[in-house]
Amino acid sequence: MLFRSFSRFTHYGTSQGAGIAIGYYTSNVSVYNNTIYAISNASTAAATQMCGIYVSQSGTGLGLANNVYNNKIYSITGQNASTFVSGIYVYGTAVGLNVYNNIIGDLQVTGTGVASSANQIMGIQIAGGAGAVSLDHNTIYLSPYSNSYSAATLFGTSGVLHVAGTPLTMRNNLIINKMPNAGTNGYTAAFRMSGRPALANYSTASNNNIFLDRKSTRLNSSHANISYAVFC
């Protein structure tokens, strides 16, 4: 699935908004060599989602993994303070997904209201599914100069969010999160795991990642050296 450039549109609906979306019952689909930028969600509905690439793979009889690679994703904005923003949003992996060689940055939540979520902006969000996800050679940068913080009493962000029971392998990724945070549970996390015991479904083959947040750096980070991640 090659679009080259996809930009400058605003989503006004109350459901998921995305630059490119891969829907249910899809396998062996590749999204590659795209530039996705300057897209936004202006919905006033609470808890809407806006992302550069959305992947949802479910159903039976699916044979091969999907692939998302060589994409540049930036300037993705939620114009409502309650919008959740992701560069790549993975919701369900029946067979598997390979995500590699992507560049993600400049993700923001702006507009009226005050941001109020413990995890509102995510470079890559992996939100469940039994199929394995592999993240390799991706670069994510969440800027400290974002307008998202505003006067938030609760605000958190993640370079990579790993939710529920999806098997995950991460190799050779550069994940930088320098965004501000607010509130007791508002973290600035390069890598966040949620919804399970620490390190469950995080492959021992994971290695050679660089995780950088506002206070620390972890180089050559392997499965065994992940105590700095946020578990919640």
Side-chain angles (χ1 to χ4, degrees):
M1 191 176 293
L2 177 62
F3 291 102
R4 293 297 185 190
S5 182
F6 197 88
S7 64
R8 297 186 177 91
F9 84 86
T10 300
H11 172 65
Y12 288 92
T14 58
S15 60
Q16 176 76 44
I20 297 174
I22 303 176
Y24 296 128
Y25 296 97
T26 58
S27 65
N28 197 27
V29 172
S30 293
V31 178
Y32 61 97
N33 291 354
N34 301 287
T35 300
I36 303 167
Y37 67 99
I39 64 175
S40 62
N41 185 344
S43 171
T44 58
T48 55
Q49 292 266 1
M50 191 66 199
C51 59
I53 297 176
Y54 174 73
V55 182
S56 179
Q57 181 193 61
S58 64
T60 59
L62 303 178
L64 297 172
N66 291 326
N67 303 283
V68 177
Y69 62 96
N70 293 356
N71 300 288
K72 186 176 182 180
I73 302 168
Y74 64 97
S75 190
I76 312 298
T77 304
Q79 296 184 33
N80 184 304
S82 64
T83 301
F84 295 90
V85 175
S86 301
I88 297 174
Y89 180 21
V90 181
Y91 186 78
T93 53
V95 177
L97 177 66
N98 303 308
V99 180
Y100 56 97
N101 294 341
N102 300 285
I103 298 175
I104 299 170
D106 191 21
L107 309 179
Q108 297 195 36
V109 176
T110 62
T112 58
V114 177
S116 59
S117 174
N119 197 33
Q120 193 148 4
I121 295 177
M122 297 146 282
I124 296 177
Q125 179 182 6
I126 303 167
V133 174
S134 178
L135 304 183
D136 299 282
H137 300 281
N138 299 288
T139 300
I140 299 171
Y141 178 65
L142 302 183
S143 170
Y145 303 109
S146 168
N147 294 323
S148 303
Y149 175 77
S150 184
T153 56
L154 177 61
F155 183 69
T157 59
S158 301
V160 172
L161 172 66
H162 182 203
V163 177
T166 304
L168 173 65
T169 303
M170 294 180 64
R171 290 172 293 231
N172 303 307
N173 299 284
L174 173 59
I175 314 296
I176 301 172
N177 185 359
K178 290 293 188 178
M179 297 192 80
N181 64 298
T184 303
N185 295 313
Y187 298 103
T188 297
F191 179 46
R192 184 190 305 242
M193 305 182 77
S194 178
R196 80 187 76 73
L199 297 180
N201 293 311
Y202 185 70
S203 173
T204 56
S206 299
N207 205 356
N208 297 330
N209 300 291
I210 297 177
F211 298 102
L212 174 63
D213 60 26
R214 293 178 64 205
K215 296 182 179 180
S216 62
T217 305
R218 297 296 187 274
L219 306 178
N220 194 33
S221 294
S222 65
H223 175 275
N225 182 27
I226 198 106
S227 58
Y228 52 86
V230 174
F231 303 104
C232 57

